[in-house]
Amino acid sequence: MNEIEISSERIRLRLMNTSDLNSIHLLHSLPETDEFNALRTPEDLVETKNIIKPRIAENQGNIKP
């Protein structure tokens, strides 16, 4: 897996992983987050997992973009 992280005093950015599922789902379930989202709000955790799974695989180098 690619371990990429950018950090400063105030923020830490890293690639998402499966342990982020609940947080990602919660974020995408907020109306104010979803207002300008091209995708619709995920129905449940399973749908969110199916959305992020290819991106995580791509980040791990398992598939090509």
Side-chain angles (χ1 to χ4, degrees):
M1 179 175 175
N2 298 325
E3 297 292 330
I4 299 171
E5 186 174 307
I6 299 171
S7 59
S8 71
E9 287 182 30
R10 297 178 49 192
I11 193 165
R12 187 183 96 179
L13 301 174
R14 62 171 175 75
L15 297 172
M16 72 177 127
N17 58 55
T18 54
S19 67
D20 299 319
L21 177 61
N22 288 327
S23 297
I24 291 168
H25 180 70
L26 177 63
L27 179 65
H28 283 280
S29 297
L30 296 171
E32 52 273 14
T33 302
D34 191 54
E35 183 177 354
F36 300 105
N37 186 0
L39 302 172
R40 61 176 172 60
T41 303
E43 298 269 333
D44 54 27
L45 282 172
V46 173
E47 187 175 354
T48 301
K49 183 177 182 179
N50 290 334
I51 292 169
I52 68 171
K53 200 164 133 180
R55 179 64 60 175
I56 291 171
E58 182 181 321
N59 290 343
Q60 293 174 339
N62 295 336
I63 60 171
K64 303 258 187 230

